[in-house]
């Protein structure tokens, strides 16, 4: 597991955590996995840039088919949910038009965490990964028409999406609950982007 720690976390912090995972990665051969990794990096870089974010300032824990990242303390959470997601969806549509489609899940949660010897520790990264890897989110992507499914924690929905800042549309989300190892989790799913204007365009 590779760690990209440009800005190390100093003690216990409260941050926005973002995780992504590419659908069907494990079924690919080594060459195609390498190509998917390159495309994923480009999608995230372009989406972040177009959303006004600097990925070089993210604490990134890279996995073969995805990434777990902690954003800086000054990140505008509503903007990230709205605009970063929108730009990821746009980049995936461009890949499909180019004949190289890639589908992915995107999860977000905000909470306490820090770094340990083998990467991120704390409740926030655990919740984010549980949301990302849940069967209900995987099924939503597998059975949907789009290339992106966003899932956020109940806390982010209540604290951020309901405010409707950055044109976030709460009606684009549907509530979901699931259990992993006896622990219950609540999240909100959004197929595609969380701003109605993008859907209508």
């Amino acid at each position: 597991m590779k760690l990209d720690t440009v800005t190390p976390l100093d003690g216990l912090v409260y941050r926005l955590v973002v995780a992504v995972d590419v659908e069907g990665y494990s079924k690919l051969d080594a060459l195609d996995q390498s190509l998917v990794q390159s495309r994923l990096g480009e999608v995230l870089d372009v989406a972040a840039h177009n959303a006004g974010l600097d990925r070089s300032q993210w604490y990134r824990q890279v996995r073969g088919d995805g990434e777990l990242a902690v954003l800086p303390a000054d990140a505008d959470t509503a903007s990230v949910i709205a605009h970063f997601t929108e730009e990821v969806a746009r980049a995936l549509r461009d890949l499909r038009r180019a004949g190289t489609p890639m589908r992915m899940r995107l999860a977000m949660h905000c909470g306490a965490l820090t770094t340990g010897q083998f990467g991120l520790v704390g409740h926030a990264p655990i919740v984010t990964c549980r949301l990302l890897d849940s069967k209900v989110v995987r099924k939503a992507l597998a059975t949907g028409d789009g290339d992106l499914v966003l899932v956020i924690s109940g806390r982010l929905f209540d604290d951020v999406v309901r405010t409707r800042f950055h044109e976030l549309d709460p009606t684009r989300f549907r509530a979901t609950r699931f259990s992993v190892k006896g622990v219950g989790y609540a999240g909100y799913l959004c197929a595609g982007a969380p701003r109605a204007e993008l859907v209508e365009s």
Side-chain angles (χ1 to χ4, degrees):
M1 185 177 293
K2 177 185 174 184
L3 297 180
D4 183 352
T5 55
V6 174
T7 306
L9 304 180
D10 184 16
L12 187 68
V13 297
Y14 190 89
R15 300 281 181 81
L16 177 64
V17 184
V18 176
V20 299
D21 186 273
V22 175
E23 182 184 58
Y25 178 86
S26 62
K27 298 177 182 178
L28 303 174
D29 60 31
L31 176 59
D32 284 339
Q33 286 181 349
S34 177
L35 292 173
V36 166
Q37 286 187 5
S38 296
R39 291 186 193 120
L40 175 61
E42 292 171 1
V43 164
L44 297 178
D45 286 343
V46 168
H49 175 77
N50 290 343
L53 301 169
D54 182 1
R55 281 213 332 132
S56 70
Q57 298 304 308
W58 297 11
Y59 180 102
R60 292 182 285 162
Q61 187 170 302
V62 181
R63 305 187 291 183
D65 57 352
E67 178 179 284
L68 180 64
V70 181
L71 274 64
D74 61 354
D76 182 338
T77 302
S79 179
V80 174
I81 296 174
H83 300 292
F84 178 65
T85 304
E86 176 180 300
E87 293 300 335
V88 170
R90 193 188 313 278
L92 293 176
R93 287 200 305 275
D94 289 343
L95 281 180
R96 182 165 292 280
R97 293 190 188 104
T100 54
M102 184 172 70
R103 308 179 83 219
M104 59 186 284
R105 305 185 310 281
L106 172 62
M108 298 185 191
H109 174 58
C110 199
L113 71 155
T114 188
T115 48
Q117 184 175 355
F118 295 101
L120 297 171
V121 296
H123 194 56
I126 291 174
V127 171
T128 308
C129 290
R130 291 285 191 251
L131 291 169
L132 183 74
D133 295 332
S134 68
K135 291 181 180 179
V136 67
V137 177
R138 290 177 181 273
K139 182 179 179 180
L141 181 60
T143 60
D145 296 328
D147 295 318
L148 176 67
V149 168
L150 167 68
V151 59
I152 64 173
S153 63
R155 176 182 299 170
L156 277 185
F157 183 82
D158 290 337
D159 292 349
V160 180
V161 174
R162 286 188 188 278
T163 69
R164 296 184 290 112
F165 272 65
H166 292 278
E167 297 85 39
L168 285 169
D169 183 0
T171 66
R172 295 278 298 132
F173 293 78
R174 64 179 177 88
T176 181
R177 297 189 67 87
F178 60 94
S179 178
V180 178
K181 298 181 179 179
V183 179
Y185 296 89
Y188 283 80
L189 280 169
C190 177
R195 298 204 304 162
E197 64 182 49
L198 182 65
V199 177
E200 296 167 357
S201 63

